[in-house]
Amino acid sequence: MEFRIAADELKKALYRAQGIVERKTTMPILANVLVNANKGGITVTAFDLDIGVVSEHPAEVIKTGAVTLSAKYVFDIVQNLPDAQVTLKKLANNYVDISSGSAHFKIVGMAAEEYPKLPKEENAPLVQVGGNTLLEMIKKTQFAISTDETRYILNGVFFEPQSTGKVRMVATDGHRLALVERELPGDFKLKSGVIIPRKGLMELKRLLDEAPDAECHLGFAENSALFKKPGLTMVMRLIDGQFPEYQRVIPKEGEKVVLVPKVRLLEGLKRIALLSADKSNAVRIGLEENQLVITASNPDLGEAKDVLELAYRGNGVVIGFNARYLMDVLAVTETDEVSFELGDEHSPGVLHAPGDRSFTAVVMPMRV
């Protein structure tokens, strides 16, 4: 195997692999990428047995062949090459010579035959999707995915096509929930929703970030998801399990509804959370006549208070929340104002755009 390729092109392929390859693994080959040179160019494959990405790249192929190489070390090498072009040549015993300008490296590789095969997904019906829309949906749900490995069905986002040509994505960690519904017309041929794992979702987000306007296709087979865009294919295993009945968690319209300037609320929460106790980020949200009051107290540091002026008439209430959870929602809200619905001190808070619940976040209260 021998080929010549633009260093930037090879760097792009290896960058895509960084989030997928396993650094600490009992199978050393999973820390590698499979480089395959054929007449049309090269393909670079990264696979951790759950997520696989195959990307195609133009190259001047002198001799076809394949080998696997360390994703991390070769990426570091390619980032620091002196020339815009790089040549890779396979030597005896799977060693690979990497040369660019005055720099030469001889890297230990592993046999291509030992690299695990990606699952074949010919039977996944592909639907053309808007990359920008899919990217927005991921950003508006990713923060609520659970990181508790013991509750594995919450370690991903629930992808649920609706009968209206829309798709709903939902994430919850038990303390908060994020739901977004957008137009993604097309028949995914799913009987019910599927759970896309967090790691796969983050890699999908990274691929969409590269070129959100590129033509994208998404499909699902029995236990896998398939994503394609020009020159790239991604396959990932889905989480096997039943997502909880999330509709039960979303309250009907709260007793107390206020419109709050988003930036002003976000700034107030950041300030007051500086004095919240330990890692809970606990703050109190109080509603009084024409005021929303954010307070925090810490026996070791003192107290903090911030007052936002707004239109409110009704009974007062004080509810404890994790400020970080509220800030995560506000960070992805695109409207200047946010509708904040509150009940009593035991009821969750609900945030959404005024008059539009297509993106809704629910934050459970906490004792403060």
Side-chain angles (χ1 to χ4, degrees):
M1 180 196 82
E2 185 178 357
F3 64 89
R4 196 159 182 261
I5 188 171
D8 280 349
E9 196 68 28
L10 185 56
K11 184 166 74 173
K12 181 164 77 172
L14 293 166
Y15 173 74
R16 286 170 173 166
Q18 297 308 302
I20 296 172
V21 292
E22 293 288 327
R23 306 282 164 82
K24 298 172 184 175
T25 175
T26 52
M27 290 177 65
I29 201 160
L30 294 183
N32 287 11
V33 290
L34 171 64
V35 181
N36 197 325
N38 49 56
K39 290 178 181 177
I42 69 157
T43 61
V44 177
T45 303
F47 187 38
D48 69 352
L49 302 183
D50 288 318
I51 304 164
V53 168
V54 183
S55 55
E56 303 166 10
H57 302 273
E60 181 193 337
V61 176
I62 299 150
K63 187 177 181 185
T64 60
V67 71
T68 81
L69 294 167
S70 165
K72 180 184 184 303
Y73 291 116
V74 177
F75 179 60
D76 290 342
I77 288 167
V78 173
Q79 283 196 101
N80 291 284
L81 292 176
D83 202 25
Q85 295 286 321
V86 55
T87 301
L88 277 77
K89 183 177 182 180
K90 184 178 170 184
L91 309 173
N93 299 320
N94 293 304
Y95 276 84
V96 174
D97 179 88
I98 301 174
S99 59
S100 175
S102 59
H104 292 268
F105 297 85
K106 189 179 175 185
I107 299 295
V108 179
M110 293 176 78
E113 296 74 33
E114 294 178 29
Y115 205 74
K117 298 281 187 290
L118 267 70
K120 287 187 166 57
E121 294 301 338
E122 291 95 346
N123 59 340
L126 289 172
V127 173
Q128 187 168 342
V129 294
N132 280 301
T133 303
L134 196 54
L135 186 59
E136 180 206 359
M137 295 178 80
I138 294 171
K139 287 177 179 176
K140 287 186 172 173
T141 49
Q142 65 178 42
F143 60 84
I145 299 173
S146 174
T147 54
D148 181 355
E149 299 297 333
T150 63
R151 305 181 71 188
Y152 72 99
I153 58 167
L154 301 183
N155 295 156
V157 159
F158 189 52
F159 182 96
E160 186 183 36
Q162 306 293 297
S163 58
T164 56
K166 294 183 177 180
V167 165
R168 189 176 284 175
M169 280 172 57
V170 188
T172 180
D173 61 7
H175 304 289
R176 52 181 167 173
L177 177 145
L179 177 153
V180 61
E181 191 172 281
R182 292 288 181 266
E183 293 273 355
L184 279 182
D187 186 2
F188 289 95
K189 293 186 166 37
L190 289 171
K191 291 174 187 169
S192 59
V194 295
I195 307 172
I196 302 174
R198 181 179 65 246
K199 182 177 176 181
L201 198 77
M202 293 302 101
E203 290 310 311
L204 177 55
K205 176 174 176 270
R206 198 200 309 212
L207 295 175
L208 288 165
D209 262 327
E210 285 179 10
D213 297 320
E215 185 177 306
C216 302
H217 289 84
L218 182 66
F220 299 93
E222 285 179 17
N223 61 352
S224 303
L226 184 66
F227 172 77
K228 282 180 176 278
K229 68 176 193 174
L232 185 137
T233 300
M234 175 186 183
V235 61
M236 61 176 137
R237 295 191 198 283
L238 300 169
I239 293 175
D240 185 20
Q242 190 74 35
F243 200 75
E245 292 184 32
Y246 62 87
Q247 293 96 333
R248 292 183 178 183
V249 181
I250 304 169
K252 299 288 186 279
E253 188 170 322
E255 300 165 20
K256 305 166 181 67
V257 183
V258 288
L259 289 181
V260 193
K262 180 191 74 172
V263 174
R264 177 72 181 82
L265 179 57
L266 187 57
E267 289 172 348
L269 287 165
K270 282 180 183 174
R271 275 194 288 270
I272 304 308
L274 296 172
L275 256 64
S276 62
D278 56 59
K279 294 177 183 175
S280 67
N281 294 302
V283 298
R284 292 183 191 89
I285 302 286
L287 267 187
E288 301 170 8
E289 187 162 331
N290 294 329
Q291 287 186 341
L292 184 144
V293 183
I294 311 169
T295 57
S297 60
N298 184 323
D300 299 321
L301 296 173
E303 299 176 348
K305 177 179 177 180
D306 197 359
V307 179
L308 285 71
E309 302 293 335
L310 45 75
Y312 175 70
R313 286 184 180 279
N315 297 329
V317 68
V318 178
I319 309 175
F321 288 108
N322 182 319
R324 168 51 54 196
Y325 293 170
L326 296 174
M327 289 191 282
D328 284 344
V329 177
L330 295 169
V332 295
T333 302
E334 290 160 357
T335 52
D336 293 336
E337 285 190 315
V338 62
S339 181
F340 199 177
E341 300 182 8
L342 300 166
D344 59 24
E345 63 268 27
H346 306 298
S347 302
V350 179
L351 297 102
H352 57 83
D356 178 10
R357 295 178 76 100
S358 63
F359 168 53
T360 300
V362 180
V363 181
M364 301 306 287
M366 61 188 296
R367 287 184 181 176
V368 182

